[in-house]
Amino acid sequence: MNPWLRITVSSWWPISCLVKCPKLFCVSSKSQASIIKRQRQICIGCFSVQHRLTHVAQPQRRICAGPLLSVREFHTSQPRFAGPLAVLLLKLAGPFSKGIKLAAVVGGRSLRKSWRKLSRHQRLHWSRRLAVLLGGFGGICVGFYFFHLEETPVTNRVRFMPISHKQMQELAEREHRNLLEAWAPHILPAHHPDHLRVFVIAKRLFKANQSKEMENLSWQVIVVDTEEMNAFVLPNGQIFMFTGMLKVLHNADSLAVVLGHEMAHVVLQHAAEKISLHGFINMFLVISCALVWAVLPSDLLAIGAQWLQNMILAILLHLPYSRKLEEEADEVGMNMAAKACFDVRESPKLWRQLALSKKTDEEAESPTWLSTHPTHNDRADKLEGLLPKALKIRENCKCPPLSPDE
């Protein structure tokens, strides 16, 4: 049996631990997945999570950790009351929305049949009632929207955000457990060179960008050994990097650019922002769907009108909005890398390289207006325009001077 070790973890070492607790506790570290597991229930902010992470064919070693430093409240923005309408938006942004829309179609179709049987006087009477009902509901929604406007961290952009931090953390913890189960056989151990490579860069980014939004999350690195070219960070700070992506990141600077981008999404709370907007829009789409199926005289016309409505919303709202968030994460992520003294000139180079590799593989990029992300060349152009600002930030942080760019 391995001996017990006593370690002290300071407040600037959040990537290696899941929670900060003032009392002595024991954790079981696992070399397979580099996952820290509490042996009893842990309290995170205002809700509790029981971590039950499995370990396959690898010995465990126990570590007894000494007292950690101060507990911080687990929120990244001002706490707000998450009323019933916010819970509804959360449901409407997920798979549950499909069931609600189907119910709206059935309800609207039934209403159309009943409407035809009404007399002219009855139709006028119910039209007035429906107008009052929709007007009142619309007024409530407008008030709800303006009451839940706030500014984003860092960029101070005004946005709609009714979803509470607690709700997002519950979703993130659930998704985290699902991903760990799905990729358990492919997760690299903590001593693997690829894991250490990502861990060192992530730690350096964190130390250079200390803020309320960064410190109040539990950052953890998980490297998945698959050929998938992907990387993402869950809203609770769980960093997932795939070895397929690492193969195209040939130096620490390019890796820092990618990690900075993904960490910026979390700092800016883009996941909660997207869920909030999509849920709010879907709430009106359900009403619109019911009205379309109730008013139009045939099912074929209703199907065509609904398809057209969805396409217009996607092209004019959802896709441009998604590209805007990606560009915002690009800028903030590059500035984060600059504060950590990485060579941010690597950022546009990386996107040029990825664009070139797509051309080499004869894989055509989707047109910008049909994509959730800007094209690689568009991102490179935008980042080149932002380079002077990022280099100035790097200089102000007293970083070592860069060699002349070739």
Side-chain angles (χ1 to χ4, degrees):
M1 184 174 182
N2 291 335
W4 288 62
L5 303 173
R6 178 172 296 276
I7 60 174
T8 302
V9 185
S10 60
S11 61
W12 53 265
W13 189 264
I15 300 177
S16 63
C17 60
L18 276 176
V19 291
K20 299 179 180 180
C21 178
K23 297 181 180 179
L24 183 70
F25 68 91
C26 295
V27 297
S28 175
S29 70
K30 299 188 174 183
S31 58
Q32 171 75 14
S34 183
I35 299 166
I36 296 179
K37 171 183 174 184
R38 289 291 307 275
Q39 298 298 316
R40 60 179 181 272
Q41 196 177 45
I42 60 175
C43 180
I44 304 179
C46 299
F47 70 100
S48 297
V49 178
Q50 183 73 30
H51 288 273
R52 302 180 184 276
L53 304 178
T54 57
H55 176 60
V56 182
Q58 286 288 341
Q60 301 183 17
R61 68 179 188 273
R62 295 183 62 81
I63 302 174
C64 185
L68 299 181
L69 299 183
S70 61
V71 176
R72 293 183 172 91
E73 290 188 17
F74 202 78
H75 60 78
T76 58
S77 60
Q78 291 298 322
R80 65 174 70 85
F81 171 69
L85 196 52
V87 176
L88 176 62
L89 295 184
L90 200 61
K91 297 288 186 183
L92 286 172
F96 185 68
S97 64
K98 295 181 179 179
I100 297 179
K101 288 178 182 177
L102 180 59
V105 169
V106 174
R109 198 167 182 271
S110 301
L111 182 60
R112 183 206 304 160
K113 293 179 180 180
S114 301
W115 187 262
R116 289 173 178 171
K117 298 177 183 178
L118 297 177
S119 65
R120 183 177 179 181
H121 176 72
Q122 288 174 320
R123 289 182 183 180
L124 182 61
H125 171 73
W126 283 106
S127 295
R128 289 173 179 171
R129 284 196 169 189
L130 185 61
V132 171
L133 182 64
L134 291 177
F137 179 75
I140 292 172
C141 290
V142 169
F144 181 82
Y145 178 85
F146 283 102
F147 184 74
H148 288 88
L149 290 178
E150 68 170 30
E151 291 186 348
T152 58
V154 185
T155 60
N156 299 323
R157 173 176 53 84
V158 177
R159 63 178 175 189
F160 173 62
M161 179 76 87
I163 305 300
S164 69
H165 184 78
K166 176 182 176 181
Q167 289 171 320
M168 278 308 301
Q169 293 307 305
E170 288 172 342
L171 289 176
E173 289 294 339
R174 191 157 56 242
E175 181 67 12
H176 181 215
R177 290 192 293 269
N178 292 339
L179 292 175
L180 288 178
E181 283 185 25
W183 289 322
H186 306 288
I187 295 176
L188 296 179
H191 57 77
H192 193 280
D194 283 341
H195 180 99
L196 294 174
R197 179 186 173 196
V198 178
F199 179 87
V200 168
I201 301 300
K203 177 184 170 185
R204 184 170 156 186
L205 284 168
F206 178 86
K207 289 177 65 178
N209 292 275
Q210 300 224 7
S211 65
K212 178 183 67 176
E213 289 76 25
M214 292 285 284
E215 292 181 358
N216 287 341
L217 291 174
S218 301
W219 299 92
Q220 182 185 12
V221 170
I222 300 165
V223 180
V224 184
D225 188 16
T226 69
E227 291 301 314
E228 185 176 350
M229 279 186 57
N230 195 14
F232 60 89
V233 183
L234 295 179
N236 59 356
Q238 305 300 309
I239 302 170
F240 283 82
M241 175 65 71
F242 295 78
T243 53
M245 188 70 187
L246 287 175
K247 290 178 181 177
V248 302
L249 304 175
H250 302 301
N251 54 48
D253 300 311
S254 58
L255 177 55
V257 165
V258 171
L259 283 178
H261 170 89
E262 300 302 335
M263 292 170 77
H265 276 305
V266 177
V267 171
L268 297 167
Q269 303 164 26
H270 281 168
E273 184 178 343
K274 274 189 173 183
I275 289 176
S276 299
L277 182 66
H278 287 191
F280 193 71
I281 291 172
N282 280 343
M283 181 169 60
F284 289 99
L285 284 180
V286 167
I287 299 172
S288 171
C289 182
L291 290 176
V292 163
W293 281 83
V295 172
L296 294 183
S298 69
D299 292 349
L300 188 60
L301 281 175
I303 292 172
Q306 194 174 346
W307 176 85
L308 182 62
Q309 172 186 265
N310 292 336
M311 288 299 295
I312 290 173
L313 272 175
I315 294 174
L316 298 182
L317 179 61
H318 290 306
L319 294 178
Y321 184 72
S322 178
R323 292 193 295 269
K324 179 181 179 179
L325 296 187
E326 290 298 323
E327 290 174 354
E328 187 177 50
D330 279 345
E331 179 179 0
V332 173
M334 185 167 69
N335 291 341
M336 289 172 67
K339 289 179 181 179
C341 294
F342 289 101
D343 187 353
V344 290
R345 297 174 300 179
E346 194 67 28
S347 185
K349 288 181 183 178
L350 173 63
W351 292 111
R352 297 281 186 213
Q353 174 192 338
L354 292 176
L356 186 61
S357 66
K358 278 209 168 190
K359 285 183 180 180
T360 305
D361 297 337
E362 298 182 351
E363 182 183 347
E365 283 191 273
S366 301
T368 303
W369 58 279
L370 285 177
S371 176
T372 57
H373 290 58
T375 64
H376 295 336
N377 281 322
D378 286 346
R379 295 179 95 154
D381 292 341
K382 183 76 180 289
L383 289 168
E384 280 179 352
L386 295 169
L387 260 183
K389 178 183 175 183
L391 291 173
K392 186 66 177 176
I393 290 173
R394 190 182 185 280
E395 181 183 344
N396 292 338
C397 292
K398 310 299 182 184
C399 297
L402 294 170
S403 59
D405 195 8
E406 297 179 2

